[in-house]
Amino acid sequence: MSPCRSRPHPAEVAGRPIYIITLMQLLNATLIKKEKLSENIFLFSLKIQETENITFTSGQFVNIYLRNETKLLPRPFGILSYENNVLEICFEIQGDGTKELSEYEIDTKLKCMLPLGNGFPEIDDTVLIGGGLGIVPLAPIKNNLIAFLGYKDKPFLAERFSNAKVITESEGLITDLIREYDFDAKTVFICGSKNMMNAVMPHLTNCKKIYASLEERLGCGFGACVGCSIKTKHGLKKICKDGPVFDLEEIEL
Amino acid sequence: MKNILDKFEIKNVKFKNRLLTASGTFNLDSASYDPSALGAVTTKGVNLEGEEGNPLPRIAETDSGILNCVGLENGGVENYIRTELKELKEKGVTVISNFFGSSISEYVEVATRLDESDTDLLEMNISCPNIKEGGISFGTDKTAVLELTKKVKQEIKKPLIVKLSPNVTDIQEIALSAVEGGADALSLINTLLGMRFDIKTGDPILSNTYGGLSGPAVKPIALRMVHQVRAVTDVPIIGIGGIMNKDDAKEFFFAGADLVGVGTASLCDPHAIIKLLK
């Protein structure tokens, strides 16, 4: 099984482009652990049969293919962790596909493809801002300064973060959490709903750089269908292949 | 009994086997196999100046199908010839360049450029709105199809495939118009017009409201149309519509197709198409 061609990451760190190898293979996965974090939110551990050493950067995602063959499209999820051939994903039920996924029992076999997309650049001392399931792509980052996490109901996976500040809707909004923080010269990684991002953006005018992980309906998830193009200052880019992480200065919102 | 591994020929252009990619689903960067192993690659449609395509969402799902309103995003014919076509020809791929326009003159201009290039064949997408005639699709009007095909055919030397839209009342009369206009081959079907609603909001999911349906869901319609078109013409037919495996391809051969195109399957499994040759 050979990796597909590599391509440079849009964010060059210290003048060095980051090359990310993508395996364009359907891998065999078995559900080995399932945890219900709340009414509609699940944490799954999947053992990948193929033992090639896959590495990923935070912000990359995995395509999960459902067992029901009438559902043709993969469901893309941020990679929460990948270690010793065990992939972790955390997802919320949104529709038919995620509902089906949530009902799989231990030992269920399915196919997946990872790692996909370009993740966050490897930069130290970043400020992480995550809302709801948006915290997942940020969770693998360990060298951050601080992490602001906003939730609708009860927090989940907050323990995965270094230096986390948590708020739930009953207490306030994520904007309350970041209001007093000095963003001057900081690099921010943000992931969450469009509403959350719009609310937070005015507070980030001082920061050095903002990288956002964008969420949209995808098609194939690996760059073939042209279903996820967005306008950037350097032309049309694919969310699944050039993103989902983008330097916000690049995006024409 | 036709076999997918058999050779084929359209007007001196040789195909090493009967399997092609359907337009809009092949991307050299995202291909996990050697495209020169296929009979041909049909590239994504290009027009003169390029298109940005539609806003997102461009993709929705239905049982055994996909809806897309990508909106013919492309970088224009010149850019295509300089980049993707050049790369594909360097790899030894037989290339069918798909093209479209919003007026007969644009179709002719793009076709002329492609004819001068290294492409092996041209495939004309007629499922486009005719801007001059108020946006009515070329492909639903047999007179428009005849005139368009004639005008393009008289300017080019390379073989012309006309790709038929299934959103018509009578596919046979459209097919006959294309053949009368000089089409060297026909490919069908293009996507069927459909839509989905978001259950939570009550709004259409696709940004363009309607989109093209493809995948296994359309196979019976595609087969029926291939069968109907075969009944009225002897020209080579490329059968497209929900082919996922060898048995699906066989059905298209039974219906009368000479070559088969695989599109949607490649979006679900990058190796699906190459498995048809095993």
Side-chain angles (χ1 to χ4, degrees):
Chain A
M1 184 171 34
S2 61
C4 177
R5 66 179 67 184
S6 57
R7 65 209 180 279
H9 192 286
E12 294 196 23
V13 175
R16 222 181 0 101
I18 303 167
Y19 285 83
I20 303 192
I21 312 283
T22 305
L23 289 175
M24 294 255 307
Q25 304 274 348
L26 289 187
L27 305 175
N28 292 294
T30 306
L31 183 61
I32 57 172
K33 192 168 165 202
K34 172 179 174 176
E35 205 182 319
K36 194 170 180 179
L37 301 181
S38 80
E39 187 53 46
N40 286 322
I41 300 176
F42 293 81
L43 177 62
F44 273 22
S45 295
L46 296 153
K47 180 97 184 170
I48 310 290
Q49 178 185 301
E50 285 78 3
T51 55
E52 243 86 333
N53 195 20
I54 302 165
T55 57
F56 78 101
T57 56
S58 48
Q60 288 189 294
F61 65 97
V62 52
N63 267 358
I64 301 287
Y65 296 83
L66 297 164
R67 290 186 61 82
N68 181 346
E69 284 182 344
T70 68
K71 293 189 169 64
L72 297 178
L73 292 176
R75 269 57 180 166
F77 301 109
I79 298 172
L80 176 59
S81 75
Y82 187 91
E83 230 179 317
N84 300 322
N85 277 46
V86 175
L87 162 73
E88 267 191 311
I89 57 170
C90 177
F91 65 94
E92 186 171 19
I93 298 179
Q94 297 287 350
D96 291 350
T98 39
K99 177 118 192 3
E100 178 183 317
L101 187 61
S102 73
E103 288 165 0
Y104 289 162
E105 300 293 352
I106 302 295
D107 284 339
T108 299
K109 298 210 178 326
L110 43 83
K111 306 260 188 202
C112 65
M113 192 190 291
L114 81 158
L116 293 169
N118 275 313
F120 291 100
E122 306 230 0
I123 297 174
D124 288 333
D125 299 334
T126 48
V127 176
L128 311 180
I129 305 177
L133 270 300
I135 69 167
V136 172
L138 298 168
I141 297 171
K142 299 301 170 212
N143 56 357
N144 57 304
L145 267 178
I146 191 166
F148 296 109
L149 310 174
Y151 300 88
K152 265 209 181 68
D153 308 307
K154 60 174 193 168
F156 54 88
L157 298 178
E159 69 282 3
R160 303 268 181 135
F161 288 83
S162 342
N163 207 356
K165 304 272 176 267
V166 167
I167 195 161
T168 61
E169 252 171 39
S170 55
E171 298 159 342
L173 299 172
I174 200 158
T175 40
D176 297 324
L177 213 51
I178 64 173
R179 201 180 304 281
E180 301 304 314
Y181 190 79
D182 179 13
F183 284 96
D184 188 38
K186 303 284 195 309
T187 298
V188 174
F189 291 171
I190 184 168
C191 186
S193 68
K194 287 193 175 115
N195 283 343
M196 184 209 99
M197 302 227 273
N198 286 334
V200 164
M201 288 306 294
H203 295 258
L204 305 181
T205 45
N206 268 4
C207 62
K208 184 169 151 201
K209 260 276 191 232
I210 308 172
Y211 291 93
S213 177
L214 302 185
E215 186 187 26
E216 289 287 352
R217 275 177 189 266
L218 300 182
C220 64
F222 55 83
C225 74
V226 199
C228 63
S229 299
I230 54 166
K231 290 193 215 186
T232 74
K233 297 209 167 105
H234 292 99
L236 292 161
K237 300 279 177 201
K238 295 174 183 166
I239 291 181
C240 71
K241 198 128 166 126
D242 304 295
V245 174
F246 287 96
D247 174 347
L248 274 195
E249 272 171 7
E250 287 294 309
I251 309 286
E252 284 176 28
L253 282 161
Chain B
M1 247 302 280
K2 283 172 204 162
N3 190 307
I4 203 167
L5 298 173
D6 293 339
K7 295 195 196 343
F8 195 69
E9 212 172 293
I10 296 177
K11 287 253 152 40
N12 296 331
V13 175
K14 297 191 192 325
F15 295 85
K16 57 165 71 81
N17 58 59
R18 308 275 181 132
L19 181 59
L20 335 164
T21 63
S23 175
T25 59
F26 178 83
N27 183 294
L28 204 50
D29 272 348
S30 307
S32 57
Y33 56 87
D34 176 8
S36 67
L38 302 175
V41 163
T42 311
T43 53
K44 184 152 176 63
V46 292
N47 62 349
L48 202 55
E49 301 294 335
E51 293 290 333
E52 278 186 339
N54 286 318
L56 305 186
R58 293 179 176 178
I59 306 284
E61 190 188 68
T62 185
D63 280 3
S64 299
I66 297 178
L67 287 158
N68 91 77
C69 67
V70 169
L72 299 169
E73 178 189 321
N74 76 95
V77 63
E78 295 301 336
N79 185 56
Y80 162 72
I81 291 172
R82 257 197 338 263
T83 57
E84 199 182 345
L85 178 61
K86 179 164 178 279
E87 274 190 73
L88 285 169
K89 289 312 295 173
E90 276 165 7
K91 287 179 157 40
V93 177
T94 304
V95 179
I96 302 173
S97 298
N98 181 296
F99 70 100
F100 66 96
S102 59
S103 63
I104 294 190
S105 61
E106 185 180 1
Y107 270 101
V108 166
E109 205 171 337
V110 181
T112 308
R113 276 303 288 124
L114 287 171
D115 198 52
E116 292 163 1
S117 78
D118 288 334
T119 193
D120 299 285
L121 305 97
L122 281 73
E123 181 183 64
M124 184 163 72
N125 173 5
I126 59 174
S127 305
C128 297
N130 185 347
I131 306 296
K132 279 221 175 80
E133 302 298 322
I136 295 182
S137 175
F138 279 99
T140 59
D141 177 348
K142 67 175 186 190
T143 318
V145 170
L146 174 60
E147 195 193 350
L148 175 61
T149 310
K150 253 195 203 157
K151 288 255 160 65
V152 166
K153 185 69 188 159
Q154 72 196 26
E155 302 299 325
I156 65 173
K157 298 191 184 64
K158 293 189 171 159
L160 177 68
I161 304 164
V162 176
K163 186 164 183 178
L164 305 183
S165 161
N167 300 303
V168 297
T169 315
D170 185 342
I171 192 79
Q172 289 174 323
E173 75 171 13
I174 305 291
L176 285 171
S177 286
V179 172
E180 194 187 329
D184 299 299
L186 298 171
S187 58
L188 65 152
I189 55 172
N190 204 328
T191 53
L192 285 148
L193 213 53
M195 74 184 300
R196 289 294 316 263
F197 287 88
D198 182 324
I199 287 293
K200 292 178 196 151
T201 64
D203 296 324
I205 291 179
L206 297 172
S207 69
N208 206 38
T209 309
Y210 304 143
L213 176 66
S214 65
V218 313
K219 189 177 72 171
I221 297 172
L223 287 170
R224 184 261 297 178
M225 291 194 163
V226 166
H227 194 255
Q228 284 180 312
V229 169
R230 179 46 83 218
V232 297
T233 179
D234 289 331
V235 306
I237 293 175
I238 302 168
I240 307 168
I243 297 173
M244 305 290 276
N245 55 48
K246 293 190 232 190
D247 281 352
D248 293 331
K250 274 194 192 154
E251 284 195 73
F252 277 86
F253 292 136
F254 292 142
D258 299 290
L259 297 145
V260 290
V262 170
T264 301
S266 298
L267 305 182
C268 313
D269 173 2
H271 294 272
I273 190 169
I274 216 74
K275 288 179 193 166
L276 270 92
L277 295 176
K278 300 215 176 356

